[in-house]
Amino acid sequence: MEEKLKQHPSHCLKIVVFGPESTGKTTLCKQLASHYDTLWIEEYARPYLQEKWDKEKKICTYEDLLPIAIGQMNLENEAVRQNPEILICDTDLLETKVYSEVYFDGKVPQLLDKFSRLNSYDLYLLTYIDTPWIPDDLRDKPDEREVMFQHFKNALDRENRPYVILKGDESTRLAKAITTIDTLKEFKK
């Protein structure tokens, strides 16, 4: 199982769009992929959990976390094989770990914890909670947005990950993300 959670080697710049639910992550991923004419990886948990809800009216359980993590890494590793210059990731294992900590009283599957620390990315774009809340079948913490944001920020600080916080409307966030990524690209040359 460990092999399924490891990142495949690559030379691409890996950017993770990271943060609480309903903060514009997927929208930003699509915008960045379009701007850089590159791939973006969707959040595996979303369709996985939506299907579970649609079929059984059940929510995420602790036992779902490793299959979600494996599915996320499979999507990422498939994309890496295409050798993009930049890869935009709509979540990573650290995000799954944060949700595990919050929803399961601090418990995190050992392999999820291990690979959330081992897998590395060049930049995290932490989306702030100043976007409108859009309810759906899976979102459930509209009144805890600030608390959830702090969990995500604390995880990035604790793991010493490079990040910038994106606030404001879509165009402001996109502009800051592009400027930050362009600077990083220059630095990595």
Side-chain angles (χ1 to χ4, degrees):
M1 185 176 298
E2 289 198 20
E3 279 301 313
K4 294 178 180 180
L5 292 168
K6 286 183 183 177
Q7 283 179 318
H8 291 181
S10 76
H11 298 290
C12 66
L13 197 63
K14 289 185 180 178
I15 310 297
V16 179
V17 181
F18 190 82
E21 56 191 10
S22 195
T23 56
K25 294 185 300 289
T26 301
T27 298
L28 182 60
C29 286
K30 291 176 183 177
Q31 292 170 329
L32 289 170
S34 176
H35 176 81
Y36 289 107
D37 191 25
T38 193
L39 303 172
W40 73 280
I41 302 166
E42 71 177 311
E43 178 184 14
Y44 183 82
R46 197 141 222 356
Y48 176 96
L49 293 173
Q50 187 66 56
E51 182 177 335
K52 182 176 181 174
W53 176 258
D54 292 345
K55 286 182 177 178
E56 307 170 38
K57 295 294 184 241
K58 292 184 179 177
I59 60 172
C60 185
T61 64
Y62 188 77
E63 290 71 29
D64 289 317
L65 296 173
L66 280 179
I68 288 169
I70 289 167
Q72 190 67 43
M73 289 313 303
N74 185 51
L75 291 175
E76 180 180 319
N77 288 331
E78 283 178 13
V80 162
R81 286 187 200 109
Q82 297 179 47
N83 202 28
E85 180 184 359
I86 298 174
L87 184 62
I88 308 297
C89 303
D90 187 350
T91 199
D92 73 336
L93 298 188
L94 184 57
E95 181 143 337
T96 306
K97 178 182 174 179
V98 170
Y99 279 114
S100 181
E101 291 169 341
V102 170
Y103 283 85
F104 302 104
D105 299 321
K107 282 180 37 183
V108 178
Q110 183 180 1
L111 287 175
L112 174 59
D113 183 54
K114 176 181 177 178
F115 286 97
S116 72
R117 294 170 193 269
L118 290 177
N119 294 349
S120 66
Y121 300 87
D122 296 287
L123 176 66
Y124 285 79
L125 301 172
L126 176 58
T127 53
Y128 192 62
I129 58 171
D130 56 351
T131 57
W133 176 266
I134 301 172
D136 68 17
D137 294 334
L138 304 177
R139 294 175 176 156
D140 67 346
K141 294 195 179 292
D143 299 327
E144 298 177 39
R145 295 182 87 193
E146 183 63 44
V147 170
M148 291 302 293
F149 177 81
Q150 281 308 129
H151 283 292
F152 284 97
K153 184 178 181 308
N154 291 346
L156 292 172
D157 289 336
R158 180 179 65 237
E159 299 299 329
N160 198 28
R161 302 292 171 95
Y163 71 94
V164 295
I165 298 173
L166 299 181
K167 293 182 178 183
D169 62 21
E170 280 184 26
S171 60
T172 301
R173 289 171 176 228
L174 179 60
K176 183 172 182 179
I178 290 169
T179 299
T180 305
I181 292 168
D182 287 349
T183 302
L184 185 58
K185 278 175 57 179
E186 285 299 312
F187 178 75
K188 292 279 186 175
K189 282 186 177 178

